[in-house]
Amino acid sequence: MPQTIAERLEKIPVLNWVIQLLKKVKLPTFEGLSLYDLIEMYLVGVIRGTLSTRASAIAFSLFMALFPLLIFFVTLIPFVIPYVSVGNEDFDMQFLFFLESFLPSATGDYFGDVYQQIKDQKKGGLLSSAFLISIFLMANGVNSIFAGFETSYYVELTRNFFRQYAFALMVGLILSILLMVGAVVFVYFEFYILDYTSEYFGKVFEYDTNEGDILLVKIARIVFFLFLTYLTTAILYYFGTAEGKKARFFSPGATMTTLLFVVTSYLFGIYVEKFARYNELYGALGGLLILMVFIWLNSNILLLGFELNATLHSMKKRVLKKRNDV
């Protein structure tokens, strides 16, 4: 009889003690399954599901969908500006600053140049062919994410191509609107609430908020971006597969992905600024390569969070099957 993974690992000194400890931690609502069972199933799903290969495919499709997404935004912004303008502030440039806040600092100039080139080109309205094509190309990026989800080791139910693409198109539009709304909220906070609040406290209480509350402002920005990231991830997980709606919208996988995204983005930014030498090696292409690596890294993180949700769902199905057998 072949040995199980646990039996093999228990032969390793020190590691056997850790395994015994993890087996003693029982998971609630999983009827006897332990924390070790969760970790083992999760790692098996990651390894057998060829996560890195799927992440590479997603990263390529997302990179190709990035420029159609910019065309989509550039076409919409003129229709949005009359309703969201704040004083003399340029909402177009502030929207670009909002998008760049999700990227490593080294890619900002490259991303800004591409955005400006697309903006300066002659473009049509909402019914132009370029705009309509950009919507479907943008949906290709979301569809590649869903394809990566469906090839998970623990996913059993899949959709047909047309149904899957319809969901990808719907989610792509939802996420685009979410980004646009997030940008409006960000601009209003930066140039309306923050400025007017600072001016009010300065006049009434003679209190300089520029120095005293800068930490609170940074915390508010971080919380705002955390909320946007979490909501985006939760939407992708919920609509990504046929089994996704059986799980909770606010899931452990979305929480893990959001936290990993923040940590890795911070560490990756430090690595690029302090240690990486992409610009010296590749010149003008350095920013492009950094952007590609950043997308690939976060594609892996997105799949890691999804695998956690898929593992938990598989464990629930195992518990239900055991109940039915009894």
Side-chain angles (χ1 to χ4, degrees), residues 261-317:
F261 174 78
V262 173
V263 173
T264 53
S265 296
Y266 177 74
L267 295 178
F268 186 74
I270 294 177
Y271 165 74
V272 170
E273 291 183 1
K274 303 295 184 181
F275 304 103
R277 296 292 182 269
Y278 287 95
N279 290 333
E280 294 180 5
L281 291 174
Y282 302 103
L285 294 177
L288 177 64
L289 292 175
I290 293 173
L291 181 61
M292 293 177 67
V293 172
F294 183 73
I295 294 175
W296 174 82
L297 181 64
N298 285 289
S299 297
N300 279 276
I301 293 174
L302 187 67
L303 288 179
L304 285 174
F306 177 81
E307 288 296 337
L308 178 59
N309 284 348
T311 301
L312 291 171
H313 183 65
S314 180
M315 292 179 69
K316 289 180 181 179
K317 289 193 295 185

Side-chain angles (χ1 to χ4, degrees), residues 12-287:
I12 303 176
V14 181
L15 192 58
N16 56 0
W17 178 81
V18 176
I19 292 175
Q20 292 300 325
L21 183 64
L22 293 175
K23 286 184 175 181
K24 293 180 181 179
V25 181
K26 301 299 180 180
L27 298 176
T29 71
F30 285 99
E31 296 187 0
L33 294 178
S34 64
L35 181 59
Y36 170 79
D37 296 320
L38 172 61
I39 295 175
E40 180 183 310
M41 289 184 64
Y42 178 71
L43 294 178
V44 168
V46 169
I47 296 173
R48 294 186 179 179
T50 59
L51 184 136
S52 181
T53 302
R54 290 153 55 201
S56 299
I58 291 175
F60 175 78
S61 297
L62 287 180
F63 182 79
M64 297 299 295
L66 182 61
F67 305 104
L69 179 64
L70 292 180
I71 295 174
F72 179 84
F73 285 142
V74 166
T75 307
L76 279 185
I77 283 177
F79 297 92
V80 176
I81 287 178
Y83 303 98
V84 299
S85 295
V86 183
N88 296 323
E89 300 297 338
D90 188 351
F91 177 79
D92 190 31
M93 288 298 99
Q94 293 306 321
F95 179 72
L96 174 60
F97 175 71
F98 169 77
L99 292 178
E100 288 179 346
S101 61
F102 289 95
L103 303 173
S105 57
T107 64
D109 294 338
Y110 175 81
F111 188 81
D113 291 341
V114 173
Y115 182 85
Q116 194 62 41
Q117 289 176 13
I118 294 177
K119 180 176 176 294
D120 292 339
Q121 289 178 357
K122 184 178 179 180
K123 54 186 181 296
L126 296 176
L127 297 179
S128 66
S129 59
F131 178 72
L132 296 177
I133 292 174
S134 70
I135 294 177
F136 287 97
L137 293 178
M138 179 180 62
N140 286 340
V142 180
N143 189 51
S144 69
I145 296 177
F146 291 174
F149 290 167
E150 284 197 336
T151 50
S152 170
Y153 182 72
Y154 292 116
V155 171
E156 298 178 358
L157 299 178
T158 58
R159 304 187 184 110
N160 61 53
F161 173 79
F162 298 101
R163 184 176 177 82
Q164 184 79 317
Y165 201 89
F167 270 92
L169 181 61
M170 177 193 70
V171 172
L173 293 174
I174 291 175
L175 294 182
S176 299
I177 295 173
L178 179 63
L179 274 178
M180 189 70 73
V181 172
V184 172
V185 174
F186 178 81
V187 172
Y188 265 78
F189 175 79
E190 288 283 329
F191 299 100
Y192 185 80
I193 298 177
L194 188 58
D195 284 352
Y196 280 84
T197 303
S198 301
E199 183 179 352
Y200 174 79
F201 276 94
K203 290 181 178 180
V204 176
F205 302 103
E206 296 183 355
Y207 178 67
D208 186 8
T209 56
N210 291 330
E211 295 295 334
D213 290 346
I214 190 169
L215 179 60
L216 294 178
V217 172
K218 290 182 178 179
I219 293 175
R221 288 172 182 165
I222 292 174
V223 171
F224 177 70
F225 286 121
L226 278 174
F227 173 75
L228 273 184
T229 303
Y230 186 90
L231 193 59
T232 300
T233 306
I235 291 173
L236 288 173
Y237 289 165
Y238 189 75
F239 294 103
T241 61
E243 296 178 350
K245 293 184 179 180
K246 297 181 180 179
R248 294 180 178 179
F249 182 81
F250 300 101
S251 60
T255 303
M256 186 183 86
T257 297
T258 303
L259 295 177
L260 286 178
F261 174 78
V262 173
V263 173
T264 53
S265 296
Y266 177 74
L267 295 178
F268 186 74
I270 294 177
Y271 165 74
V272 170
E273 291 183 1
K274 303 295 184 181
F275 304 103
R277 296 292 182 269
Y278 287 95
N279 290 333
E280 294 180 5
L281 291 174
Y282 302 103
L285 294 177

